[in-house]
């Protein structure tokens, strides 16, 4: 795939190929395959990030308890663990282009299910009442299809299109596209949520826009995505292949996998509750006057809308730091950069839950939250290097399979994390849930620092 298209690029560039655009692409390791893949990911990431971070609040508004929200997070972990291999089997049968189109349609249908859930109302089946929040689980089965299927393909395409010593830069390019959607999505959601006071009404505006992006993304990728040279179809070939992949996982990945799994288990315990900390525990919005250009503007944001802007701050920091961090990794190695990302993941739960108390009256609560979520954005500094460290040791042509194996193990172990966090949240206290999560994250970070190995191309 890479060879044919790269040659075409060279022939079509002429003298201008060495100009500013070519220099830009070289700096960001933005090969054409990576660029096409990044663009295809943008629309789906935008739709998913507009909606997904608000779903716990949506479920609570539809009558779900905190423990049910935790079960929802665990259900998402199950999907993340199980989808990549069946997705690869579909690719074996119908090819990557049509598989991506199918999964794009399923994701769009998932957004639609979330949109209509409040209108369905409670349904009685054989004496059992099915509450509206149950449909949020059904929608997730569909909505996460494209995201989870694309995991192995993303890693493999970047690996085959990028020099080993520039893997972190290649992943920084794809992540910049994705995280730009992560920035725009929640902020756009916050604007739409601010249109109506009733959250279940205003959030349906967000879901409607998510459906539109899903339709648009599916149509665009079906027309533009070129998988003519893609050899990923035989990377996921049944249970025997999975067992063989588990046995043959590159040895350098094992310490990374252990540390990463502990960090992700910790994050999974509390991730779905971040929105509830802002909207229900602290109930922090923004009501102030901003002076700009000689004019004064009143700003009045509900906690739900303010949360969207906090996610925007988080993603802005992520976008500013990922490429410089990937360039730094070329000098100091992947391991130190990954460790910094793990450390921020680990301590963020206690920073979020205790920062307002520690700040006291020194800063207004909204300013504390802005600082906390800006700090959270630093965890993405290690993400491109982390991906490079996963796929780097893989032999050529096995990147998708190695990635799928890694995430299958990690995501399977992480499955119960949100349920554990939900139990502690509902039956003990949010503070205990977030503190336990931080302890587990710190243990995972320490394990990686002690036993993690460097990818030799960066050593």
């Amino acid at each position: 795939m890479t060879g044919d298209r790269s040659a075409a690029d060279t022939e079509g560039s002429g003298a201008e190929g060495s100009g500013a655009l070519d220099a830009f692409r070289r700096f960001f390791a933005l090969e054409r395959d990576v660029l096409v893949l990044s663009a295809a990911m943008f629309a789906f990431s935008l739709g998913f990030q507009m909606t997904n971070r608000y779903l716990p609040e949506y479920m609570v508004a539809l009558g779900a308890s905190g423990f049910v929200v935790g079960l929802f997070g665990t259900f998402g972990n199950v999907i993340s663990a199980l989808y990549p291999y069946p997705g690869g089997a579909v690719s074996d049968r119908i090819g990557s282009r049509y598989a991506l189109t199918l999964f794009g349609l399923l994701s769009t249908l998932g957004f639609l299910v979330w949109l209509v859930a409040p209108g369905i109302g409670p349904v009685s089946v054989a004496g059992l009442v099915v509450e509206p929040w149950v449909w949020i689980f059904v929608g997730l089965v569909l909505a996460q299809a494209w995201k989870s299927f694309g995991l192995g393909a993303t890693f493999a395409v970047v690996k085959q299109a990028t020099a080993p010593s520039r893997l972190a830069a290649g992943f920084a390019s794809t992540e910049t596209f994705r995280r730009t959607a992560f920035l725009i999505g929640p902020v756009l959601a916050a604007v739409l949520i601010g249109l109506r006071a009733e959250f279940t009404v205003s959030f349906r505006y967000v879901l409607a826009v998510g459906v539109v992006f899903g339709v648009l993304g599916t149509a665009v990728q079906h027309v533009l995505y070129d998988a003519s040279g893609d050899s990923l179809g035989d990377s996921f070939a049944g249970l025997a292949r999975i067992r063989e992949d588990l046995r043959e996982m590159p040895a350098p990945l094992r310490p990374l996998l252990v540390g990463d799994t502990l960090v992700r288990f910790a994050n999974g315990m509390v991730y779905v509750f971040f929105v509830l900390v802002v909207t229900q525990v602290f109930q922090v919005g923004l009501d102030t006057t901003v002076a700009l250009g000689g004019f004064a503007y009143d700003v009045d944001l509900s906690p739900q809308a303010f949360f969207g802007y906090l996610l925007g701050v988080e993603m802005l920091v992520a976008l500013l730091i990922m490429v410089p961090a990937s360039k730094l990794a070329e000098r100091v190695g992947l391991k130190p950069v990954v460790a910094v990302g793990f450390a921020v993941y680990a301590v963020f739960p206690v920073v979020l839950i205790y920062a307002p108390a520690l700040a006291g009256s020194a800063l207004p609560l909204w300013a504390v939250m802005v600082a906390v979520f800006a700090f959270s954005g630093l965890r993405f500094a290690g993400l491109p290097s982390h991906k490079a460290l996963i796929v780097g040791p893989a032999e050529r042509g096995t990147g998708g399979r190695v990635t799928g194996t890694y995430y299958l193990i990690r995501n399977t172990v992480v499955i119960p994390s949100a349920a554990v966090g939900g139990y502690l949240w509902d039956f003990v206290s949010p503070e205990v849930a977030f503190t336990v999560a931080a302890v587990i994250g710190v243990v995972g970070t320490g394990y990686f620092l002690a036993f993690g190995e460097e990818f030799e191309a960066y050593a």
Side-chain angles (χ1 to χ4, degrees), residues 330-386:
E330 294 176 8
R331 293 178 174 271
V332 304
L334 298 174
K335 181 179 175 180
V337 179
V338 172
V340 169
F342 280 1
V344 178
Y345 262 112
V347 303
F348 179 71
V350 291
V351 171
L352 175 60
I353 204 73
Y354 292 115
L358 294 176
S361 59
L363 290 172
L365 187 53
W366 66 265
V368 173
M369 288 292 103
V370 169
V372 165
F373 277 83
F375 171 74
S376 177
L378 297 176
R379 63 193 166 102
F380 295 99
L383 187 57
S385 296
H386 180 208

Side-chain angles (χ1 to χ4, degrees), residues 7-28:
D9 291 347
T10 302
E11 292 173 6
S13 61
E16 294 177 357
S18 58
L21 178 60
D22 204 38
F24 173 84
R25 288 175 57 181
R26 285 197 304 270
F27 178 80
F28 287 97

Side-chain angles (χ1 to χ4, degrees), residues 30-231:
L30 198 58
E31 304 297 336
R32 177 169 176 174
D33 291 335
V34 179
L35 177 61
V36 170
L37 179 65
S38 299
M41 294 164 65
F42 180 84
F44 292 98
S45 295
L46 188 65
F48 200 76
Q49 292 305 314
M50 283 181 65
T51 58
N52 186 54
R53 296 297 292 271
Y54 282 101
L55 289 176
E57 178 80 7
Y58 194 45
M59 292 180 68
V60 170
L62 295 177
S65 67
F67 183 56
V68 169
V69 171
L71 292 178
F72 177 74
T74 284
F75 187 63
N77 291 339
V78 172
I79 293 174
S80 295
L82 297 182
Y83 265 28
Y85 272 90
V90 172
S91 179
D92 286 346
R93 286 295 186 92
I94 66 176
S96 296
R97 180 176 180 232
Y98 290 104
L100 283 169
T101 300
L102 171 62
F103 278 78
L105 289 172
L106 290 174
S107 293
T108 304
L109 181 59
F111 297 149
L112 186 61
V113 170
W114 288 338
L115 174 64
V116 302
I120 298 175
V123 178
S124 181
V125 179
L128 180 66
V129 178
V130 179
E131 298 291 342
W133 52 259
V134 173
W135 297 107
I136 310 305
F137 285 80
V138 176
L140 187 65
V141 172
L142 301 167
Q144 200 162 320
W146 194 93
K147 173 177 177 283
S148 295
F149 170 77
L151 186 65
T154 301
F155 280 70
V157 170
V158 175
K159 179 177 174 62
Q160 68 190 29
T162 309
S165 63
R166 304 208 67 207
L167 273 176
F171 281 114
S173 300
T174 60
E175 283 302 314
T176 297
F177 272 81
R178 289 184 67 231
R179 301 297 166 177
T180 300
F182 282 34
L183 167 62
I184 296 172
V187 173
L188 178 56
V191 172
L192 294 173
I193 287 170
L195 296 178
R196 292 288 295 272
E198 187 180 351
F199 178 72
T200 53
V201 175
S202 59
F203 185 60
R204 293 173 80 181
Y205 298 161
V206 177
L207 292 168
V209 174
V211 171
V212 172
F213 277 115
V215 171
L216 182 62
T218 301
V220 168
Q221 77 173 8
H222 184 76
V223 173
L224 298 180
Y225 188 85
D226 179 11
S228 59
D230 201 337
S231 61

